[in-house]
Amino acid sequence: MRTVEQYLEMGMPLPYAEYYASGTKKIVSATPNDDFTVTILFDNGERRNLDIKPIINEGGVFKNIETQESFKRMYVDECRTICWDIDPDVDSNVVYENKIDLAPEFCYVESVPC
């Protein structure tokens, strides 16, 4: 396993270097909340809260989940990422471009304990 210093030497920001040096975590479950936050349970037993509002406000593909209805269609896929289908009638396993996802490392580093 690499150290924090080794990840920093690779140009990784400190929070991500610390995350990888301590071992990666898998998302076990994720629950969307009414305030556009997500409560996430990781495989190490930690429960953390991720605020999605700043991501939505940046625009881009995440504008597709700016309504409560679309935001609450969130799910955890087989890769243990938090996902949304842009069009719920399209199978994102067939049409990958239909899927918006957030990687576990982003979800962990950018969230706060709850």
Side-chain angles (χ1 to χ4, degrees), residues 16-76:
Y16 285 88
E18 291 172 337
Y19 169 83
Y20 283 108
S22 68
T24 61
K25 290 109 182 125
K26 293 181 181 172
I27 295 173
V28 174
S29 65
T31 306
N33 302 309
D34 290 338
D35 62 352
F36 287 92
T37 62
V38 179
T39 303
I40 307 167
L41 176 62
F42 289 90
D43 65 346
N44 66 350
E46 282 187 79
R47 189 173 301 280
R48 299 176 68 90
N49 202 40
L50 177 65
D51 187 356
I52 304 295
K53 290 183 298 292
I55 300 167
I56 294 170
N57 291 337
E58 286 179 14
V61 71
F62 285 94
K63 280 300 234 184
N64 288 291
I65 59 168
E66 68 183 347
T67 67
Q68 278 291 322
E69 178 184 353
S70 59
F71 175 71
K72 292 212 172 191
R73 286 195 318 257
M74 182 195 74
Y75 61 96
V76 177

